[in-house]
Amino acid sequence: MTSGNGSGPVERTHVAVGGTGGPALAFSWDAAARIEVRDLGGEVVIEANAAGLRTLAGHLLVLAGDGVHDGAHLHLEDGNGLEGGSVGLVLERGCEE
């Protein structure tokens, strides 16, 4: 499988959300994605290359999908989806209210 712009393969990771019986959500990472998250005290900066921005957008679209339960989330951490030295980032679907 290739990414939308032909820049290289897309790595796929499947994350089970919602405990037993919960939906299995598939989050995709572009192999060229570079994402860094910094906490500047009063604000958070997410810096990413184009592939990283597309990857984050895809993660948000998965969480916004039909049938995804409130509370479904994805943890991104230093060395696990984010560049070294990044602070952790949680993408979570909130209440429909």
Side-chain angles (χ1 to χ4, degrees):
M1 177 182 288
T2 61
S3 64
N5 66 359
S7 64
V10 174
E11 299 172 12
R12 293 190 67 80
T13 300
H14 299 280
V15 179
V17 177
T20 58
L25 303 178
F27 295 96
S28 299
W29 275 264
D30 186 310
R34 300 290 175 261
I35 306 165
E36 182 179 351
V37 179
R38 296 186 307 273
D39 179 356
L40 301 181
E43 61 187 7
V44 173
V45 175
I46 299 172
E47 181 180 318
N49 63 5
L53 292 171
R54 284 190 298 273
T55 296
L56 285 172
H59 294 347
L60 294 171
L61 288 171
V62 168
L63 289 169
D66 292 337
V68 177
H69 298 93
D70 292 345
H73 61 279
L74 174 65
H75 288 263
L76 301 173
E77 301 167 341
D78 176 346
N80 182 26
L82 301 179
E83 293 294 297
S86 292
V87 297
L89 177 67
V90 179
L91 304 175
E92 183 174 348
R93 180 170 177 149
C95 297
E96 289 293 327
E97 297 179 43

